């Protein structure tokens, strides 16, 4: 399978959920992209600083290393972001 998405800014982490959706941590613009067969969307505005490694569980919850904030974040399928660990909430 080949996926082409233009305009990615310093992609640094990739994960795939059980539905085949692709998540990309974009360190260059401090966001997370969700790429589905129908759509490319960004999770923005949550104060991410240098998001890097990420993973997705079987319920579609994304876990993210927010390295610039020294934190681990949890992103629900409805894009609710919570701080799991670290100094930044």
């Amino acid at each position: 399978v080949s996926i082409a998405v233009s305009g990615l800014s310093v992609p640094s982490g990739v994960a795939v959920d059980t539905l085949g959706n692709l998540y990309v941590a974009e360190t260059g613009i401090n966001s997370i992209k969700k790429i589905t067969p129908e759509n490319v969307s960004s999770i923005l505005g949550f104060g991410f600083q240098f998001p890097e490694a990420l993973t997705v569980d079987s319920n579609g919850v994304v876990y993210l290393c927010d390295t610039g904030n020294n934190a681990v974040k949890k992103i629900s399928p409805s894009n609710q972001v919570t701080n799991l660990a670290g100094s930044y909430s």
Side-chain angles (χ1 to χ4, degrees):
V1 173
S2 176
I3 297 174
V5 177
S6 65
L8 290 176
S9 180
V10 191
S12 59
V14 176
V16 179
D17 68 16
T18 58
L19 299 175
N21 299 313
L22 179 69
Y23 295 80
V24 180
E26 288 189 282
T27 302
I29 60 171
N30 297 315
S31 76
I32 308 301
K33 275 228 182 350
K34 180 179 180 182
I35 303 164
T36 69
E38 300 83 26
N39 190 28
V40 175
S41 59
S42 294
I43 303 170
L44 297 166
F46 294 101
F48 301 134
Q49 291 294 318
F50 305 111
E52 290 187 350
L54 52 85
T55 191
V56 184
D57 71 14
S58 61
N59 295 315
V61 176
V62 176
Y63 298 90
L64 165 71
C65 291
D66 190 7
T67 59
N69 287 314
N70 299 312
V72 176
K73 305 266 175 119
K74 174 182 169 183
I75 307 169
S76 74
S78 63
N79 293 341
Q80 181 181 19
V81 178
T82 55
N83 195 50
L84 291 180
S87 59
Y88 185 83
S89 58

